[in-house]
Amino acid sequence: NKALTATNFSGWAATDISVENQLIVANGFSAINSSVANFTDLLENQSAQKISIIDIIPENTSFLFAIGFDNAKQLFDKKNKILQQQNNFLNWNKHRKLIQDSNNVNYNEFINELQGEAGIFNTSSVHSKQQQYVFFKSKNPITASSLMQGLITGKKAYSEYSINTLADANITAQLFGDLFNNNAPYFTIMDDYFIFGSTVASLEGLIDNYKSENTLASSQHFRNYSNYFSSKSNLFFYINPGRIAAALKNKLKNSYHKNLVFNTDSIAKFTALSLQMTTKKDLLLNNISLFYNNDFEQAEMEKELALKQQELANKQAALDEEARLKKVDTNISMQPQFVYNHFTKEKMIVVQNDDNKIFAINSKGEQMWSLQIESKILGKTSSIDFYKNNKYQCLFNTASQLYLIDRNGKNVNSYPKLLPSTTSIGHALFDYNNTKEYRIMIVGDDNNIYNLYKTGKINNGWKYKKTTKQITQPPIHFIVKSQDFILNATNNSATKLLARNGTDRVRFKEAQSFVNKVQITADGEIYAITTESKLWIGRVDGSSLTYEMPNLHITSDILAYNSGYYVGNKNTITYYNDTILDNITFNLDAPVKEITTNEDYIAITTSTSLYLLKDNKIVEGFPIATDGYFNITDINNNGKTNILNIRNGFIYNYELDN
């Protein structure tokens, strides 16, 4: 019922279709015109080429469109004829002359240095622009790059490769047509291929995959399918329908959602769809194949996971010899905590084992002291300067007591103190004006918030009135435009903001219920996921709103950071930018347990692994095996970040390259 827009891609086609057990194949011919009316007419008289880019691009490539040719100049000239027919040649030629005059790069000459392949590919399951790349192959990369020098405005070394900044972000479109338009201002050279990306980080990820031999050609699923298409062609189009099923669904839903029946499980088994075109005299030979991999079941996934886990185990064993710090009696079920040691000018590591024994360990892994207490530490520990003499102590609470321990493991100033109420939640420590006039907040099991001085005595100036709405997390202090706010969070819109004295400062009227903890963005907005799978945002002026976010569910994990949101669903983490348009997706080895941020890193834990992201790229050497308890800081003040990780009762210290 809706007319299709003509794309001038190809002429008529006639094919014979055959259906096999796991394959639908259409073979036939289509027209090719010497007069050049369609894009495929550019391929006339070009020899078919082996599309070898599959030996370089990542195995998670979801989309590839490549052309093979042996005469780049002829292709270039025919492309210009199409531009003339479309009345676009003058604009193109004006841009070409501008590049030649200002950068001394002549595309009419540069095209002669290219031969073999050009194309575009994407490694995202949702076709993120940040994970889309364009490429072409050179006869000699040294000669080709020397002719491009006038366009190169910057250069960065990365892992034996150079990542260059380019003055013309659409050079591939200028050379081969608008199908290769990608707005990619950065490029690197891998073998004979010039590969262009939208960000430096995206190209770094591409290099990492290539060096690790995680290529499309090495993928078992792609190898299974490659038997069904020719090794050489003039045009090769490939997608993995199962991998991009969600993106296909979203595109189709816009126009056809009323009649759409979408079986995700079935589509996941379609692992390849390809179109090949090869010149045969005055015709193009077509081959269209759709592959259904019925063996793509749990066993196959477990096999791949086992291989990856073995690789991880080998890397882990090598790292562990260097990183192991300390074996603590019995297991540890808490994050490593830190307290400043004014004597050594370093941070001590504080942990508690499952027998409730506390250990303090220095940066060399040596035990400084140990202390047996009556029960488990709740939440996190805090460092305070009790005597205001720049000597810090460790503050924490159990279910019934508040502790303050000095650097030698001794109780300070008649501590421990009995709490005014038993609690199931860790304390919060506030120092409003950085004057060391501390306030300690305790959420009692009686649903009251107690405000204590550092001596442990109750602050009678605290005017908080408890309600029946259950408080679910420690209070959080934050400042917006020089105003203080204290987040008092429940699992619904009874969540409110308090003033310093405990009175209500902001209430939210809109009725909502939340399925996760309430968090605060860097801009002072609070947010949570509602029971309707929407994102709720509250502001300090009392207003609030909810809106739908792609792939947000009641089981999702979410973190606001880096001007966007990181959303965890099952085995994937997706980053949405502040316009909720472009995104980056990371695939994990198991379902996400938690997403946090610390020291400019994004930390993601699964049941067995810890992933670390920086600049939207997985940090080299990760994931590592973990029990789920870790912390990040510079423990010995050498300017390098350490990650302290708990596994099997051992504490491991990894030093990161910042």
Side-chain angles (χ1 to χ4, degrees):
N1 296 327
K2 183 178 180 181
L4 296 175
T5 302
T7 60
N8 299 108
F9 176 75
S10 179
W12 61 263
T15 61
D16 295 324
I17 296 179
S18 64
V19 180
E20 301 177 17
N21 184 37
Q22 292 182 288
L23 193 70
I24 298 175
V25 180
N27 291 309
F29 294 92
S30 59
I32 192 168
N33 301 305
S34 298
S35 59
V36 188
N38 300 300
F39 176 83
T40 54
D41 297 337
L42 305 183
L43 305 175
E44 184 188 26
N45 297 323
Q46 299 284 350
S47 296
Q49 303 291 314
K50 182 180 180 181
I51 306 300
S52 297
I53 191 66
I54 62 174
D55 296 320
I56 291 178
I57 61 180
E59 87 175 285
N60 64 339
T61 295
S62 56
F63 160 83
L64 169 64
F65 178 79
I67 54 175
F69 51 90
D70 65 337
N71 190 329
K73 186 64 168 65
Q74 182 186 86
L75 192 76
F76 181 76
D77 292 340
K78 287 189 174 184
K79 180 267 300 180
N80 288 342
K81 287 184 179 180
I82 290 182
L83 289 177
Q84 290 171 352
Q85 294 174 11
Q86 297 173 342
N87 296 319
N88 291 325
F89 179 77
L90 290 178
N91 287 335
W92 173 86
N93 201 40
K94 181 179 179 181
H95 178 80
R96 181 194 66 79
K97 289 181 178 179
L98 179 64
I99 292 295
Q100 183 173 341
D101 293 342
S102 59
N103 302 92
N104 197 28
V105 176
N106 189 336
Y107 289 156
N108 288 331
E109 296 178 359
F110 181 72
I111 193 69
N112 294 312
E113 294 302 319
L114 309 183
Q115 185 170 347
E117 301 168 57
I120 184 167
F121 64 94
N122 195 296
T123 60
S124 167
S125 62
V126 289
H127 281 275
S128 165
K129 292 180 182 178
Q130 292 184 344
Q131 289 176 269
Q132 187 154 288
Y133 310 82
V134 287
F135 68 91
F136 52 70
K137 189 177 182 182
S138 64
K139 296 177 182 177
N140 185 314
I142 297 176
T143 304
S145 60
S146 66
L147 292 176
M148 289 177 61
Q149 283 303 308
L151 285 172
I152 298 174
T153 60
K155 182 177 294 186
K156 174 188 176 182
Y158 180 77
S159 190
E160 302 175 8
Y161 291 86
S162 291
I163 297 176
N164 307 277
T165 306
L166 201 65
D168 189 351
N170 278 313
I171 184 173
T172 47
Q174 303 300 326
L175 297 171
F176 298 103
D178 286 341
L179 278 175
F180 305 99
N181 191 327
N182 194 43
N183 190 27
Y186 305 97
F187 79 92
T188 190
I189 302 173
M190 302 168 73
D191 289 348
D192 294 332
Y193 291 90
F194 287 65
I195 303 179
F196 303 80
S198 60
T199 66
V200 171
S202 65
L203 287 174
E204 289 176 347
L206 207 66
I207 291 169
D208 290 341
N209 274 286
Y210 178 58
K211 292 189 67 177
S212 301
E213 299 182 356
N214 296 324
T215 63
L216 183 61
S218 67
S219 165
Q220 183 61 52
H221 303 305
F222 188 82
R223 290 204 303 268
N224 290 343
Y225 176 66
S226 62
N227 297 324
Y228 294 96
F229 57 78
S230 173
S231 61
K232 293 184 177 181
S233 60
N234 293 111
L235 184 148
F236 181 66
F237 170 72
Y238 159 85
I239 63 171
N240 185 329
R243 176 165 165 74
I244 64 169
L248 292 174
K249 179 181 178 182
N250 290 335
K251 290 179 182 295
L252 289 170
K253 282 181 67 176
N254 292 336
S255 301
Y256 307 108
H257 65 280
K258 292 181 179 179
N259 301 316
L260 179 65
V261 177
F262 196 87
N263 190 323
T264 303
D265 292 338
S266 293
I267 292 176
K269 296 181 182 180
F270 284 99
T271 56
L273 168 65
S274 71
L275 162 66
Q276 282 187 295
M277 290 185 168
T278 307
T279 56
K280 295 292 182 182
K281 296 183 179 180
D282 58 346
L283 292 172
L284 280 171
L285 173 64
N286 296 328
N287 177 284
I288 304 173
S289 302
L290 176 62
F291 185 58
Y292 182 83
N293 190 349
N294 195 44
D295 295 328
F296 188 68
E297 298 286 357
Q298 187 66 28
E300 186 69 23
M301 290 188 288
E302 288 177 354
K303 180 180 177 182
E304 289 191 1
L305 180 59
L307 290 172
K308 290 181 179 179
Q309 287 177 334
Q310 184 59 51
E311 293 176 4
L312 177 61
N314 294 338
K315 292 179 181 178
Q316 189 79 46
L319 287 170
D320 286 352
E321 290 302 316
E322 300 179 4
R324 185 180 287 115
L325 266 181
K326 178 73 179 175
K327 179 71 169 72
V328 177
D329 297 336
T330 76
N331 288 331
I332 302 171
S333 299
M334 69 170 288
Q335 284 187 336
Q337 301 291 305
F338 307 114
V339 60
Y340 180 68
N341 186 333
H342 59 272
F343 184 76
T344 63
K345 309 301 182 185
E346 295 182 346
K347 295 184 179 74
M348 287 192 302
I349 305 155
V350 177
V351 293
Q352 182 185 35
N353 68 13
D354 289 351
D355 289 335
N356 300 326
K357 191 174 185 179
I358 302 173
F359 296 85
I361 302 162
N362 66 17
S363 61
K364 298 178 182 179
E366 300 167 340
Q367 181 177 308
M368 306 296 292
W369 51 263
S370 64
L371 178 67
Q372 184 70 53
I373 64 173
E374 91 290 352
S375 60
K376 181 180 178 180
I377 295 174
L378 299 179
K380 299 179 180 180
T381 68
S382 301
S383 290
I384 73 170
D385 182 0
F386 186 90
Y387 297 106
K388 296 185 180 182
N389 59 358
N390 294 320
K391 297 180 179 180
Y392 286 81
Q393 301 82 32
C394 181
L395 178 77
F396 60 87
N397 69 278
T398 63
S400 61
Q401 297 196 78
L402 185 66
Y403 285 83
L404 187 63
I405 310 295
D406 68 16
R407 70 177 184 88
N408 297 313
K410 305 298 183 182
N411 289 313
V412 175
N413 194 44
S414 72
Y415 272 85
K417 304 285 187 178
L418 189 66
L419 294 175
S421 168
T422 58
T423 182
S424 305
I425 297 176
H427 75 281
L429 179 70
F430 300 156
D431 184 7
Y432 294 115
N433 300 317
N434 295 319
T435 58
K436 301 181 181 179
E437 297 294 339
Y438 302 102
R439 296 294 183 268
I440 303 166
M441 302 290 177
I442 298 293
V443 177
D445 288 336
D446 58 359
N447 209 42
N448 196 6
I449 300 178
Y450 294 91
N451 184 322
L452 309 179
Y453 293 109
K454 64 182 178 181
T455 59
K457 293 182 179 180
I458 292 179
N459 177 6
N460 293 324
W462 179 249
K463 299 179 181 179
Y464 176 78
K465 294 182 179 179
K466 70 176 183 178
T467 68
T468 58
K469 302 298 183 182
Q470 188 64 45
I471 302 170
T472 56
Q473 61 193 64
I476 303 173
H477 171 250
F478 63 105
I479 299 174
V480 177
K481 295 181 179 179
S482 300
Q483 284 191 312
D484 290 282
F485 298 91
I486 299 173
L487 172 63
N488 178 29
T490 68
N491 61 2
N492 53 41
S493 53
T495 292
K496 56 187 176 181
L497 304 179
L498 309 176
R500 281 193 190 184
N501 64 359
T503 58
D504 292 351
R505 168 161 272 181
V506 178
R507 286 178 174 266
F508 302 101
K509 296 180 181 179
E510 183 183 359
Q512 293 291 342
S513 294
F514 308 137
V515 296
N516 68 333
K517 66 179 180 181
V518 181
Q519 302 181 75
I520 303 173
T521 71
D523 297 326
E525 293 183 337
I526 65 176
Y527 65 99
I529 301 173
T530 72
T531 53
E532 297 177 345
S533 298
K534 295 181 179 180
L535 180 64
W536 177 86
I537 294 178
R539 300 191 174 102
V540 296
D541 63 1
S543 65
S544 64
L545 58 90
T546 60
Y547 62 88
E548 295 183 355
M549 177 181 287
N551 300 318
L552 192 67
H553 308 290
I554 60 174
T555 57
S556 300
D557 288 276
I558 189 168
L559 174 71
Y561 188 71
N562 193 26
S563 300
Y565 291 92
Y566 292 82
V567 177
N569 285 314
K570 296 184 178 179
N571 292 45
T572 62
I573 291 286
T574 304
Y575 167 75
Y576 299 94
N577 66 11
D578 53 356
T579 62
I580 318 300
L581 291 177
D582 298 333
N583 55 72
I584 299 174
T585 299
F586 302 92
N587 295 313
L588 312 178
D589 61 359
V592 177
K593 289 184 66 177
E594 188 177 23
I595 316 170
T596 57
T597 178
N598 196 329
E599 299 282 346
D600 296 327
Y601 291 91
I602 301 295
I604 304 152
T605 52
T606 69
S607 57
T608 58
S609 300
L610 168 62
Y611 292 77
L612 217 57
L613 305 182
K614 190 171 186 180
D615 300 325
N616 278 341
K617 185 172 71 72
I618 295 177
V619 174
E620 185 176 358
F622 286 80
I624 59 175
T626 185
D627 290 346
Y629 304 105
F630 66 93
N631 212 336
I632 305 173
T633 192
D634 178 0
I635 60 174
N636 52 5
N637 296 322
N638 66 350
K640 292 188 176 182
T641 304
N642 302 86
I643 181 163
L644 281 298
N645 177 43
I646 306 296
R647 187 162 65 88
N648 297 330
F650 282 95
I651 306 170
Y652 296 88
N653 172 23
Y654 302 96
E655 189 173 77
L656 305 176
D657 292 327
N658 291 346

